[in-house]
Amino acid sequence: LVWCSEGCHKPDNALRVGIRELGSRLGLCIVMLKKAKRFAAWGQRRSSTAYILVCDWREAKPCMECLETLAIERPQMVVCLVEK
């Protein structure tokens, strides 16, 4: 599971706690990246395994542009988190 969000490294982020707990229960490797630029770098050097991309609204478009313009294997699913 790749989570791309500016708040992914903030210890007081409740979503961060939830994603880490979910990953632990399901045996998932969680990769937390702050910006789409980091996602692009990660995508270009990773091994060929399936992944799910979870991003916030701010990083959704830049992440999609990375997938479109770079030779990054597409995720199995993309989840965009939005808040009101």
Side-chain angles (χ1 to χ4, degrees), residues 32-63:
M32 296 183 184
L33 306 167
K34 198 170 181 178
K35 298 295 241 172
K37 185 166 73 172
R38 298 277 186 206
F39 169 66
W42 172 86
Q44 291 180 318
R45 71 175 184 273
R46 65 182 266 296
S47 62
S48 183
T49 57
Y51 68 99
I52 296 170
L53 174 62
V54 178
C55 54
D56 63 16
W57 183 249
R58 177 172 279 170
E59 295 303 318
K61 184 177 178 185
C63 283

Side-chain angles (χ1 to χ4, degrees), residues 3-5 15 19 54-58 60 79-83:
W3 183 26
C4 187
S5 171
L15 186 56
I19 286 178
V54 178
C55 54
D56 63 16
W57 183 249
R58 177 172 279 170
V79 178
C80 182
L81 303 174
V82 295
E83 293 182 39

Side-chain angles (χ1 to χ4, degrees), residues 7-17:
C8 70
H9 293 294
K10 294 181 180 177
D12 61 338
N13 185 334
L15 186 56
R16 178 181 191 256
V17 173

